[in-house]
Amino acid sequence: MKFLILGAGNTGKAYSAYLLSRGQKVTLYDRSPDRLAPLAQGLKASGAVSGEFFPVLTDRLDRPGGHDVILVCTVAEGHRPLAA
């Protein structure tokens, strides 16, 4: 399956690592390129899921279609801008 995760905070990164560890395809979106930049070197996870993972990173949502599942992992105030 193809997942689009909206929000590259702790929750979005955790979901990304988990899904990638299960062989899923993940695109991780955040409106802040500064938040995504460190993840270009890989998403390092430890704990229940351990390893280094490489989601597709984007700061643009021109066409969010093409994904089977979209997960919204933002703070409450972030939902309205995404919906617009």
Side-chain angles (χ1 to χ4, degrees):
M1 292 186 77
K2 291 175 67 177
F3 289 82
L4 173 60
I5 298 178
L6 305 177
N10 291 335
T11 303
K13 290 188 287 190
Y15 270 127
S16 294
Y18 175 78
L19 291 167
L20 288 164
S21 76
R22 299 291 188 235
Q24 304 301 322
K25 296 177 182 175
V26 175
T27 298
L28 181 58
Y29 162 84
D30 200 281
R31 64 182 174 173
S32 169
D34 293 337
R35 185 173 289 204
L36 293 174
L39 301 177
Q41 306 302 317
L43 172 60
K44 295 170 183 66
S46 61
V49 173
S50 295
E52 190 169 14
F53 304 97
F54 295 88
V56 174
L57 303 173
T58 186
D59 63 353
R60 300 189 57 143
L61 280 181
D62 295 336
R63 296 179 184 219
H67 296 87
D68 300 304
V69 178
I70 298 174
L71 298 172
V72 179
C73 300
T74 65
V75 296
E77 295 83 17
H79 289 205
R80 186 179 301 270
L82 284 174

